[in-house]
Amino acid sequence: MANQSFISEFLLLEFSAIRELQIAHFCLFLTLYLATLTGNLLIISAVAFDYRLHTPMYFFLMNLAIQDIASVSVLIPKITINYVLNNRYISYSGCVAQVLFFVSFVACDIVLLTVMGYDRYVAICNPLQYELIMNKRACKQMVGIVWIAGFLYGGLHTGGTFASPFCSNVVNQFFCEIPRLLKLACSDLFLAETGALIFSALTGVGILIFIIVTYIQIFSAVLRIPSVQARKKALSTCLPHVIVFSVFVTIGSFAYLRTPPQKPSHLDLAITITYSIIPPLLNPLIYSLRNKEIKNALSKLLHF
C-alpha cells in the first residue's frame, strides 16, 4: 500500500492462530479490565461518598482513577471484541481515535501526578498556607489544565503520527501504538513526530527532576517534625504517590526508550501489557493499601 489514502483499516497483531489460546488471551484481558474497573470505581466511590475525603489530595486521586479507567477503556474493549469475533482489524478512524485518547489520558496521568506532588509539597512544607493555596477553585483549575494539556499533547502526537502516508497497514502490536505506526511511514514526515517524541522525553526528564527536588524538600521537612506519629502520618500521604509515580516512570521509560524489535515476541507483548494496563490496575491497590482513610472509607462503603 503505497499511499495513505488507500488504507481504510489496520491489521493488528495476532497473538495466536489457535482458538483455545485466543480464548485464554480473551480471559486474561477481560480479567485485567474488570479488576482495573473495580479498583478504580471503588476509589471514585469512596472519595465521592465520604465527606472526610473531600480534600484536594483525594480530589486529585479521584481524577487519577477516572483517567486510569479511560486509558484502559480505549484499548481493552477493542481487543476483547476482536478475540470474540476472531478479527484483527481496526478502522483507520478507530486507530486515530485510539492513539489520540490513549496518549491524551497517559499524558493527563503524568501531569496530574506532577500536580499531586506539588499538593503534597504545599501540605507538608507550607501547611499554614495550604488551604489558601489549594482552595477548591485552584484545584478545579489545576485539574482543568491537566485535561487540556493532556489532550493538546495527544492531539500533537496524533497529528504528527498520521501526517505521513503509510506503506503498510500491518501493525505489529495489539493496539495502535505510535512507535509501531512510525515504522510503517513511507516518507520523512515522520521525523516531525520523532522530534515531538524527543521533546516529550525532555519534558519527562524535567518533570522527573521537579518531582525529585520536591520530594527531597518534603522528606527534609518530614524529618524535622518532632512527633513520630505526625511523621508517620505525613509519610503515609506521600509514599503512595512516590510509588505510583516511580512505577509509572520506570515502566514507561523501559517500554519507550528501548528499540522496538522487528518481530514481536512474547517478551514484547508482556512489556506492552505491563506499561499500558498494569499501572491503572496497581494505582488503586497502592493507594488503598497504604492509606488508612481510604481503607476506612471503603470499609464503610462496602459495610465491612
Side-chain angles (χ1 to χ4, degrees):
M1 298 185 186
N3 194 293
Q4 178 181 353
S5 61
F6 292 104
I7 295 180
S8 60
E9 55 189 10
F10 289 93
L11 184 65
L12 299 176
L13 176 67
E14 182 180 49
F15 298 141
S16 175
I18 302 173
R19 189 57 180 167
E20 289 76 10
L21 289 177
Q22 290 178 354
I23 294 172
H25 288 138
F26 165 80
C27 293
L28 170 64
F29 280 107
L30 183 61
T31 301
L32 291 173
Y33 185 55
L34 293 177
T36 303
L37 282 182
T38 301
N40 284 287
L41 284 174
L42 284 174
I43 293 291
I44 294 169
S45 301
V47 175
F49 292 109
D50 193 325
Y51 71 92
R52 293 169 299 182
L53 301 183
H54 292 177
T55 63
M57 182 176 74
Y58 295 110
F59 174 65
F60 295 139
L61 178 58
M62 182 174 67
N63 276 272
L64 181 66
I66 293 171
Q67 291 165 6
D68 285 342
I69 289 175
S71 67
V72 294
S73 295
V74 171
L75 305 181
I76 300 184
K78 176 60 179 174
I79 297 169
T80 54
I81 289 172
N82 280 2
Y83 277 128
V84 170
L85 300 178
N86 195 19
N87 179 31
R88 296 169 55 192
Y89 287 96
I90 183 172
S91 67
Y92 183 88
S93 59
C95 189
V96 173
Q98 200 171 68
V99 169
L100 172 64
F101 287 111
F102 181 70
V103 174
S104 296
F105 289 131
V106 170
C108 284
D109 270 7
I110 295 172
V111 180
L112 184 58
L113 287 171
T114 306
V115 170
M116 292 171 75
Y118 175 73
D119 171 68
R120 291 299 84 207
Y121 168 78
V122 176
I124 294 173
C125 298
N126 197 6
L128 297 179
Q129 297 293 318
Y130 182 73
E131 291 187 5
L132 179 63
I133 297 173
M134 303 301 294
N135 57 69
K136 286 186 178 180
R137 182 179 179 183
C139 291
K140 290 178 180 177
Q141 288 175 342
M142 288 180 185
V143 169
I145 291 171
V146 166
W147 286 93
I148 292 171
F151 273 86
L152 285 176
Y153 180 86
L156 170 68
H157 282 288
T158 304
T161 300
F162 290 93
S164 171
F166 296 107
C167 293
S168 171
N169 72 335
V170 180
V171 182
N172 285 324
Q173 189 56 274
F174 63 85
F175 68 97
C176 289
E177 185 185 42
I178 288 179
R180 299 291 183 176
L181 290 170
L182 292 180
K183 281 183 168 291
L184 307 181
C186 48
S187 80
D188 290 337
L189 288 175
F190 78 93
L191 292 176
E193 173 59 16
T194 303
L197 289 173
I198 294 172
F199 172 76
S200 301
L202 294 175
T203 303
V205 171
I207 290 174
L208 180 61
I209 292 172
F210 172 81
I211 292 292
I212 291 173
V213 172
T214 297
Y215 269 99
I216 289 174
Q217 297 184 55
I218 288 174
F219 289 133
S220 297
V222 169
L223 292 175
R224 291 195 298 268
I225 298 175
S227 170
V228 176
Q229 192 65 28
R231 283 202 299 268
K232 288 182 179 180
K233 184 176 180 180
L235 287 174
S236 70
T237 65
C238 294
L239 286 179
H241 177 263
V242 173
I243 295 170
V244 167
F245 186 81
S246 301
V247 169
F248 195 95
V249 170
T250 302
I251 294 175
S253 299
F254 182 71
Y256 271 90
L257 293 181
R258 68 192 180 92
T259 303
Q262 293 295 328
K263 293 184 178 180
S265 64
H266 292 296
L267 175 61
D268 186 52
L269 170 62
I271 292 171
T272 305
I273 292 175
T274 300
Y275 91 82
S276 61
I277 299 174
I278 298 303
L281 174 65
L282 290 181
N283 289 351
L285 290 174
I286 293 169
Y287 273 101
S288 60
L289 289 174
R290 298 291 306 181
N291 191 298
K292 290 183 179 180
E293 291 178 323
I294 288 287
K295 286 182 181 179
N296 293 335
L298 289 174
S299 297
K300 183 178 177 181
L301 181 67
L302 300 174
H303 304 292
F304 286 163

